[in-house]
């Protein structure tokens, strides 16, 4: 098999490149917008504990499994399964990932559009002096106003398509290396301001003191979904990305360090948000608006708040962008490699199709509120369907594939780089993907439809 460095496919130039690009995919709105809002809705501390356990027990092994499939096959998600398991139906897992990429982008670009609007408001200093009630009204008026959020969304989709179109190496790697560490610093500054607000202790108690009576089947499923969503696993994003990784990379340490970095950012976002939520008397189960109401209040209380909010929303937009490009790349790599459509046409076609769903998602929060299922807006449906169903289902099939179909020899060969690395934990990893992870995911699914609890 040719290495990606000598083949015609793009590849990441260096180790930091891989880590930067995959972290760029993982770190995004999932950490800073979704994690706090889902944690708030699911009762805080107990949810966090379950979430962290799922990251360790299921998330890291699924991530490594995607790396194994991607780097071994050096193909897009569908092609990877076709190559490793020819003449079997396994490539359906790849198609599931393509569907997930459409569903996720449809609502993710809605929220990315909000981020651009908030950047715009920051530039105009439009949060200054606003009360909590003002900010709620501002958020609701904007998100339900129709044209404006749709325009931001389409602009964001355009940026995404532009970078994907330019190709992996130039497009993706460059943006992540310097900017993510700066984002981390700003989040730390936010944490410091937040925990020094009056009554901040209540927020920390909410986040870190588990109340086990709050754990229900739904909480388990939401924690699993959030773990998958945040790590970008279960839909072939990382299969696609790792197909560009060169053979010398240590996949296991990459999976562990990326997962830990991603989790650190999410927890820090929680530390920044919840003390402020309690200090300002916001309800923690506010839903998707939580962060967009809380953050401006914190900035308003900070020395240099104008400057911080500006940089923050710029970086958050970029963090969202490095995630959306990784999602779009799944569909584009498939279309161009399997259906032999040019990269340019593939990018345009996929982006247009996604935009149609995306407009539906954004408009479902405003005048098209008939776009709802069981009282949940299309936006919420896409959010929950992808995180809580499609990604864990994809992850379940991926670990079964790697654990039971690929088998021990191929797996060990891949994670040890053909015997060059020790890969000490390989037996632990194999045991987890054969038994623990699939059983745990299946139990969470069955439990959430009320089979046990
Ligand atoms: N992990 C990304 C985030 O946290 C979202 C994402 C999900 C990206 C699935 C790729 C695949 O924002």
């Amino acid at each position: 098999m040719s290495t990606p460095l000598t083949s015609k496919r793009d590849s990441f130039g260096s180790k930091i490149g891989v880590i930067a690009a995959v972290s760029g995919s993982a770190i995004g709105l999932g950490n800073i917008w979704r994690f706090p809002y889902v944690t708030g809705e699911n009762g805080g501390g107990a949810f966090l504990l379950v979430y962290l356990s799922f990251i360790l027990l299921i998330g890291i092994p699924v991530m490594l499994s995607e790396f194994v499939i991607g780097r071994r096959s050096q193909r897009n998600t569908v092609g990877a399964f076709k190559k490793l398991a020819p003449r079997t139906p396994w490539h359906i897992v790849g198609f599931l990932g393509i569907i997930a990429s459409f569903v996720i982008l449809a609502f993710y670009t809605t929220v990315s559009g909000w981020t651009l609007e908030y950047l715009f408001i920051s530039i105009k200093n439009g949060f200054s002096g606003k009360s909590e009630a003002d900010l709620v009204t501002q958020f609701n008026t904007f998100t339900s106003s129709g044209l404006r959020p749709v325009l931001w969304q389409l602009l964001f989709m355009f940026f995404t398509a532009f970078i994907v179109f330019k190709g992996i190496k130039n497009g993706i790697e460059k943006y992540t290396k310097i900017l993510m560490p700066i984002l981390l610093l700003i989040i730390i500054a936010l944490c410091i301001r937040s925990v020094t607000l009056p009554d901040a202790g209540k927020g920390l108690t909410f986040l870190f003191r588990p109340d086990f009576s709050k754990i229900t089947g739904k909480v388990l499923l939401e924690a699993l979904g959030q773990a998958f969503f945040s790590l970008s696993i279960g839909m072939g994003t990382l299969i696609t990305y790792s197909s560009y990784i060169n053979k010398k990379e240590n996949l296991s340490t990459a999976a562990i360090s990326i997962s830990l970095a991603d989790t650190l950012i999410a927890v820090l976002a929680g530390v920044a948000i919840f003390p402020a939520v309690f200090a300002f008397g916001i309800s923690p189960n506010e839903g998707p608006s939580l962060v967009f109401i809380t953050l401006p209040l914190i900035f308003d209380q900070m020395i240099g708040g104008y400057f911080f909010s500006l940089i923050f929303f710029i970086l958050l937009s970029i963090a969202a962008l490095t995630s959306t490009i990784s999602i779009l790349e799944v569909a584009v790599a498939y279309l161009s490699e399997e259906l032999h459509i040019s990269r340019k046409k593939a990018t345009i076609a996929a982006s247009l199709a996604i935009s149609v769903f995306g407009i539906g998602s954004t408009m479902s929060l405003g005048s098209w509120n008939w776009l709802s299922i069981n009282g949940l807006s299309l936006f919420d449906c896409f959010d929950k369907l992808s995180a809580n169903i499609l990604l864990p289902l994809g992850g379940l099939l991926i670990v079964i594939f790697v654990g039971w179909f690929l088998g021990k020899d191929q797996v060990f060969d891949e994670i040890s780089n053909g015997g060059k690395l020790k890969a000490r934990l390989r037996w632990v990893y194999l045991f987890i993907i054969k038994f623990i992870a699939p059983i745990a995911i299946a139990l969470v699914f069955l439990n959430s439809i009320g089979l046990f609890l």
Side-chain angles (χ1 to χ4, degrees):
M1 202 190 295
S2 63
T3 67
L5 287 176
T6 54
S7 74
K8 279 204 282 352
R9 302 185 81 223
D10 265 341
S11 75
F12 293 126
S14 60
K15 177 158 181 167
I16 179 73
V18 179
I19 304 235
V22 178
S23 326
S25 170
I27 298 166
L29 297 171
N31 310 59
I32 289 156
W33 160 73
R34 201 174 188 282
F35 172 79
Y37 112 66
V38 176
T39 305
E41 276 185 345
N42 288 284
F47 174 89
L48 177 64
L49 204 65
V50 179
Y51 170 75
L52 294 176
S53 327
F54 284 163
I55 295 270
L56 277 181
L57 211 66
I58 305 177
I60 297 177
V62 172
M63 184 181 282
L64 184 53
S65 304
E66 288 203 31
F67 286 170
V68 167
I69 298 176
R71 194 177 63 174
R72 200 156 186 84
S73 64
Q74 298 183 25
R75 292 281 187 282
N76 62 85
T77 4
V78 174
F81 287 97
K82 283 194 178 152
K83 176 154 180 195
L84 298 176
R87 290 175 299 282
T88 65
W90 276 108
H91 61 274
I92 294 173
V93 182
F95 283 117
L96 208 65
I98 311 262
I99 296 174
S101 74
F102 274 63
V103 177
I104 295 180
L105 274 178
F107 82 90
Y108 203 94
T109 50
T110 304
V111 187
S112 306
W114 298 350
T115 313
L116 292 182
E117 166 80 9
Y118 273 61
L119 169 58
F120 187 68
I121 303 178
S122 293
I123 296 173
K124 294 188 305 181
N125 203 9
F127 299 125
S128 141
K130 291 237 159 78
S131 69
E132 194 240 309
D134 297 335
L135 289 163
V136 174
T137 316
Q138 186 176 24
F139 178 84
N140 290 338
T141 315
F142 160 66
T143 53
S144 61
S145 65
L147 191 61
R148 200 176 165 89
V150 166
L151 287 178
W152 283 126
Q153 170 180 40
L154 294 179
L155 183 66
F156 202 89
M157 194 66 223
F158 175 79
F159 289 148
T160 307
F162 182 75
I163 295 177
V164 167
F165 166 65
K166 285 184 62 187
I168 292 297
K169 199 168 180 174
N170 296 329
I172 296 170
E173 199 174 325
K174 200 160 74 185
Y175 296 85
T176 326
K177 277 190 196 167
I178 321 158
L179 299 173
M180 292 297 126
I182 307 181
L183 180 65
L184 179 66
L185 290 181
I186 299 217
I187 296 174
I188 293 174
L190 277 167
C191 290
I192 295 173
R193 175 66 274 214
S194 192
V195 298
T196 48
L197 287 167
D199 260 357
K202 281 193 195 146
L204 294 174
T205 309
F206 177 81
L207 183 61
F208 291 117
R209 185 175 298 160
D211 168 359
F212 291 104
S213 68
K214 292 235 170 80
I215 297 184
T216 61
K218 172 179 169 284
V219 168
L220 294 178
L221 182 67
E222 295 267 344
L224 184 68
Q226 178 58 26
F228 272 76
F229 190 85
S230 193
L231 294 179
S232 303
I233 53 177
M235 57 163 280
T237 308
L238 301 189
I239 295 182
T240 310
Y241 263 24
S242 58
S243 72
Y244 307 113
I245 298 183
N246 81 50
K247 292 278 179 197
K248 293 195 198 93
E249 303 288 351
N250 185 335
L251 297 181
S252 327
T253 50
I256 294 171
S257 42
I258 293 163
S259 301
L260 294 183
D262 182 73
T263 308
L264 177 72
I265 301 250
V267 174
L268 287 178
V271 174
I273 296 291
F274 286 108
V277 161
F278 284 86
F280 296 119
I282 302 168
S283 149
N285 57 8
E286 194 73 39
S289 63
L290 183 72
V291 179
F292 287 94
I293 292 166
T294 314
L295 284 172
L297 289 168
I298 310 179
F299 288 125
D300 203 30
Q301 301 277 317
M302 265 169 114
I303 302 170
Y306 175 78
F307 174 75
F308 275 112
S309 80
L310 200 63
I311 311 267
F312 175 82
F313 283 111
I314 293 175
L315 293 176
L316 186 59
S317 309
I318 295 173
L321 191 61
T322 52
S323 301
T324 50
I325 50 190
S326 74
I327 309 176
L328 185 60
E329 178 65 23
V330 173
V332 170
Y334 161 71
L335 291 171
S336 60
E337 285 177 26
E338 300 298 308
L339 305 185
H340 308 291
I341 300 172
S342 75
R343 236 188 118 82
K344 186 173 176 183
K345 283 198 189 125
T347 310
I348 295 174
S351 307
L352 286 179
I354 289 163
S355 299
V356 172
F357 290 101
I359 292 173
S361 137
T362 304
M363 293 299 289
S364 74
L365 298 172
S367 51
W368 295 4
N369 53 10
W370 45 268
L371 275 177
S372 69
I373 301 168
N374 266 341
L376 272 189
S377 64
L378 193 62
F379 171 89
D380 288 318
C381 291
F382 284 163
D383 179 349
K384 300 290 177 212
L385 169 70
S386 57
N388 297 351
I389 298 174
L390 293 174
L391 299 184
L393 181 63
L396 174 65
L397 296 169
I398 285 167
V399 283
I400 294 177
F401 177 77
V402 175
W404 294 93
F405 187 90
L406 267 191
K408 169 175 135 296
D409 294 343
Q410 291 210 57
V411 173
F412 286 177
D413 184 61
E414 197 57 45
I415 58 176
S416 68
N417 295 357
K420 288 194 199 71
L421 301 173
K422 290 210 182 69
R424 280 200 200 85
L425 292 176
R426 62 188 185 281
W427 287 102
V428 179
Y429 165 63
L430 191 70
F431 184 73
I432 293 181
I433 58 166
K434 281 185 98 149
F435 301 103
I436 305 210
I439 294 173
I441 298 172
L443 286 180
V444 172
F445 269 141
L446 294 175
N447 197 17
S448 70
I449 53 172
L451 239 57
F452 307 115
L453 284 185

